Amino acid sequence: MSPSVLFWGLVALMGSSEGLYLLTHSMNPRLHPRLYYGCYGDILNMETAGAPCDIARPINCGIHGSEMFAEMDLRAIKPYQNLIKEVGLRHCVDPALVAAIISRESHGGTILHDGWDHTGAKFGLMQLDKQVYKPYGAWDSKEHLLQGVGILANNIQTIQKKFPTWNATQHLKGGLSAFKAGSDAISSPMDINHDLTDDLLARAKFYKRHGF
Ligand SMILES: *[C@@H]1O[C@H](CO)[C@@H](O)[C@H](O)[C@H]1NC(C)=O
């Protein structure tokens, strides 16, 4: 059997584009296929204005501002890269988006005290509000990250069911807004928190370019 017959035979056996992706990637390192982006749309195709420019933040805003903050947090988040990818895969959520939330919420954990924010209200890398969720595990553990990303996935799915006519970008932005404010707070497109989601998307695009 020729190598190419064997190759396509294996692809047929694996029977999925993901199998093809993994196989071509491992067989030819010069190919750079798109990184995994999960079930909730391709963030690279989503438009974003980045962090808002307002009186509170007249500079360091826009896409450039978001990227600057993402870059500042890159070193703190890098040690969690494999964990973030594994947990993203488990919940079918783009790892770059998880990295973006960790950057925005806790700067990769660097501003936390034993995992808590300075008010003692929010816990962990993704800063779950203790009033709403009972946090599991240590603040930077796999168990805790699985909980946080699971909550995010649930929120996106809730928004998808609640607003079946919305497009993927609106579902994702609605889910990200609900992750912070609860899904009850989202009852129309007007309730999407664009300041939050534009910043997160711009940071996520940065992390995507850095291998997340
Ligand atoms: C999704 O809907 C929003 C709001 O109507 C719109 O601005 C955006 O361009 C849409 N995105 C796509 C990919 O169609």
Side-chain angles (χ1 to χ4, degrees), residues 45-47 165-171 173 189 192 194:
N45 291 333
M46 296 182 186
E47 281 174 24
T165 61
W166 287 14
N167 66 36
T169 306
Q170 289 174 304
H171 283 146
K173 288 186 166 188
I192 292 175
H194 288 284

Side-chain angles (χ1 to χ4, degrees), residues 184-198:
D184 289 345
I186 316 295
S187 54
S188 86
M190 306 277 287
D191 297 322
I192 292 175
N193 181 343
H194 288 284
D195 288 358
L196 168 79
T197 56
D198 276 2

